[in-house]
Amino acid sequence: MTDREYFLPFSVFPGIGPVKFEKLIKHFGTARNAWEAPSAGLRILLGEKLTAKFEKFRLEFDIPKFKKQLHKKKIDYVCLLDKQYPSLLKQIPNPPILLFVKGDKGLLTQDPAIAVVGTRKMTGYGQEITELFAGQLTDAGFIIVSGMAIGVDGQAHKSCLESGGKTIAVLGNGVDLPFPSSNAHLYDRILKGDTGSQRFRLTHYCKVWAAVWPAGFRNPRANYFISFRSASSLN
């Protein structure tokens, strides 16, 4: 297996996030070396309790099996080693270990892109303005980046699709779980496009791949991705 495949278990193991992962890479050199590291070396960086949990996890975690599960759900990923990993996101302190993606991961690095985000309680005037700006930005060649939430976010995606553009939806929950459920149709439209093509794609970068119930507010890490994937933002 290549070193990028060893990023996968670290992305789903609770207790090792970007900060600890960076320390492991600096100490052991590669993700594979960190995954196969002796217990004594791990205890220095992770402590006794977390090392014990990690040792149990790596005995049970099957990387090829996990890759098959991703493939079955048509989920791809990009890690810090990949050229498709957004350059602006890579520059922040402690960037995400990897990004789980559905659709065309090439959009992760295509420019220009602009974030269009706003309130969930969108007024009639807000809808009109969002349609106007998102449509005109799409016509000007921008990729629209937003969070697929009810309100301004969802409208930005819809207006982009209706203008024949490309859009990126950043989810704060599992990439295979449309949320909110009322936007499930929008989730499908983004993935398929109005013509049924795979031109559009959905991305999710929370540390845990398995679907989790999202909090009642936008995941702040999702906000991080939205802002650092785009050269500009419209709020």
Side-chain angles (χ1 to χ4, degrees):
M1 292 189 294
T2 62
D3 195 54
R4 70 184 299 271
E5 292 169 291
Y6 286 90
F7 278 65
L8 285 168
F10 288 105
S11 74
V12 298
F13 174 69
I16 295 182
V19 175
K20 287 188 174 68
F21 182 72
E22 184 178 4
K23 290 180 179 179
L24 289 170
I25 295 299
K26 286 183 178 179
H27 186 83
F28 295 109
T30 67
R32 178 172 183 170
N33 288 345
W35 178 249
E36 298 175 346
S39 300
L42 290 171
R43 279 194 289 269
I44 295 173
L45 298 173
L46 303 179
E48 193 74 37
K49 290 184 178 180
L50 188 57
T51 297
K53 292 179 180 179
F54 180 73
E55 287 182 320
K56 183 177 184 297
F57 172 79
R58 67 178 174 180
L59 285 174
E60 299 172 349
F61 190 86
D62 187 322
I63 296 176
K65 182 179 179 180
F66 186 69
K67 286 181 61 183
K68 287 181 180 178
Q69 292 174 341
L70 293 178
H71 181 73
K72 185 177 181 180
K73 292 178 177 288
K74 298 181 179 179
I75 297 173
D76 203 347
Y77 69 96
V78 296
C79 73
L80 289 162
L81 300 177
D82 297 329
K83 63 181 181 181
Q84 293 94 346
Y85 196 99
S87 58
L88 287 176
L89 190 63
K90 192 179 290 187
Q91 294 173 25
I92 69 172
N94 311 310
I97 295 172
L98 54 74
L99 311 174
F100 290 106
V101 181
K102 292 197 75 172
D104 179 11
K105 65 182 181 182
L107 289 186
L108 287 169
T109 52
Q110 285 186 26
D111 290 315
I114 187 168
V116 181
V117 295
T119 180
R120 286 172 169 77
K121 298 179 180 179
M122 181 174 59
T123 63
Y125 175 73
Q127 179 176 349
E128 182 181 343
I129 292 300
T130 303
E131 289 176 351
L132 175 65
F133 278 115
Q136 290 186 350
L137 287 166
T138 299
D139 291 341
F142 282 88
I143 296 171
I144 302 299
V145 185
S146 198
M148 213 183 80
I150 293 172
V152 170
D153 291 25
Q155 186 59 56
H157 292 303
K158 292 174 186 175
S159 298
C160 176
L161 292 174
E162 288 165 2
S163 296
K166 299 176 181 180
T167 187
I168 295 173
V170 182
L171 303 184
N173 50 276
V175 70
D176 57 337
L177 176 65
F179 186 86
S181 58
S182 58
N183 272 349
H185 66 290
L186 178 58
Y187 175 98
D188 292 334
R189 283 188 66 191
I190 291 172
L191 284 175
K192 297 177 182 177
D194 290 335
T195 61
S197 69
Q198 283 286 333
R199 290 191 303 146
F200 311 109
R201 70 105 182 85
L202 198 69
T203 184
H204 162 65
Y205 78 97
C206 291
K207 198 173 80 66
V208 180
W209 164 77
V212 294
W213 194 254
F217 50 86
R218 187 200 303 279
N219 188 311
R221 299 182 69 192
N223 283 345
Y224 234 22
F225 180 89
I226 291 172
S227 61
F228 281 94
R229 169 60 188 93
S230 313
S232 305
S233 63
L234 182 64
N235 299 279

